[in-house]
Amino acid sequence: MITILAGGTGSVKLVRGIASQTRDLSVISNVGDNYWLYGLYICPDIDTMLYGLGDILDTDKGWGIKKDTFGFLRQMEMLGEETWFKIGDRDAAIHLLRTNMLKNGKNLSDITEWMCQKFAVDTKIIPVTDNSVETRIVTNKGELHLQEFWVKYKGQDKVEGIKYLGADKARANPAAVNAIHDSKLVIIAPG
Ligand code: FO1
C-alpha cells in the first residue's frame, strides 16, 4: 500500500496521478484549513481530494466543483453577508450534509468514508484527526484564520507567527496511523 500525506490544491495532482496507477492507496488529509462559515463546516483539503479523485474538481482553480453555479452565494450577498469565500451551489450541499452529520454525532472519518462511496472514490481519504485543529496566522494586523489570511486578505499581511489551535489535544486518527504502518511507501505531497 502507498500512503500520501496531503493538503489540497497543491497535492491533488500528485494524488490523482498515483491513484491512476494503483487502487491500494490511502490519503491522509490535512484538517488544519477547515473553516466554519454561515454555520457550515468546510473541509477544503478533504473536499479537494474527494472532487479530484471523483473527477469533478474544477482543475482551473484547483478547488471546488467544475461548472458549479453560485446562486447560494449571490443570495448571501443580497442578504448582506460577506462572500469572499466562493462556495458553489453543489459544493454547499457537501458542507451542509457534513455539518448535519457532525451535529448528529458522526465523526469526520465516517462522514468522509461515506462521501467517498457517494463519489465512487476507491482511494481511502482519512482525516489526520477527528478532532478540531485550526490554523491561525498571527499578523501585524492581528490574528486571522488561515482562510481569512489567505483568501480574504490574499496573504498580504506580515506573518509574525502560526498557531495550530487544538493540536495539543488532538489525537491522531488510528486509521491514519495504521495506514502509515501498513505502507511500503509514505509520500509527503507538496502543500
Ligand atoms: N480558495 C480561494 O483562493 N478562494 C476561494 O474563494 C476559495 C473557496 C473555496 C471553497 C471551498 C473549498 O473547498 C476550497 C476553497 N478554496 C478557495 C481553496 C482553499 O481555501 C485553499 O486552497 C486551501 O484551504 C489551502 O490548502
Side-chain angles (χ1 to χ4, degrees), residues 50-165:
L50 197 62
Y51 302 159
L53 292 166
D55 220 13
I56 56 166
L57 181 71
D58 181 334
T59 49
D60 292 335
K61 294 202 297 259
W63 48 267
I65 297 179
K66 63 184 163 194
K67 298 193 175 130
D68 210 345
T69 51
F70 289 86
F72 164 77
L73 207 70
R74 277 202 301 275
Q75 190 63 46
M76 281 297 189
E77 187 174 28
M78 179 266 177
L79 293 169
E81 294 295 313
E82 287 190 282
T83 55
W84 51 267
F85 199 72
K86 306 293 181 210
I87 297 176
D89 296 334
R90 292 175 65 194
D91 194 25
I94 307 302
H95 311 319
L96 186 67
L97 263 191
R98 174 191 291 124
T99 308
N100 257 336
M101 291 167 102
L102 284 170
K103 286 188 174 160
N104 288 329
K106 292 248 182 321
N107 65 32
L108 193 57
S109 301
D110 292 342
I111 297 167
T112 305
E113 194 181 329
W114 181 83
M115 287 187 172
C116 283
Q117 283 168 20
K118 287 286 171 195
F119 284 93
V121 169
D122 292 334
T123 301
K124 282 188 265 325
I125 303 175
I126 306 169
V128 65
T129 177
D130 280 329
N131 304 126
S132 166
V133 179
E134 187 178 311
T135 309
R136 312 272 314 171
I137 311 293
V138 184
T139 77
N140 53 333
K141 291 188 195 145
E143 197 179 301
L144 301 168
H145 187 284
L146 173 91
Q147 300 297 349
E148 293 172 309
F149 169 77
W150 192 241
V151 179
K152 185 174 183 182
Y153 296 113
K154 313 216 175 302
Q156 282 170 352
D157 297 324
K158 186 168 179 290
V159 177
E160 295 177 343
I162 302 179
K163 292 182 186 171
Y164 301 101
L165 287 192

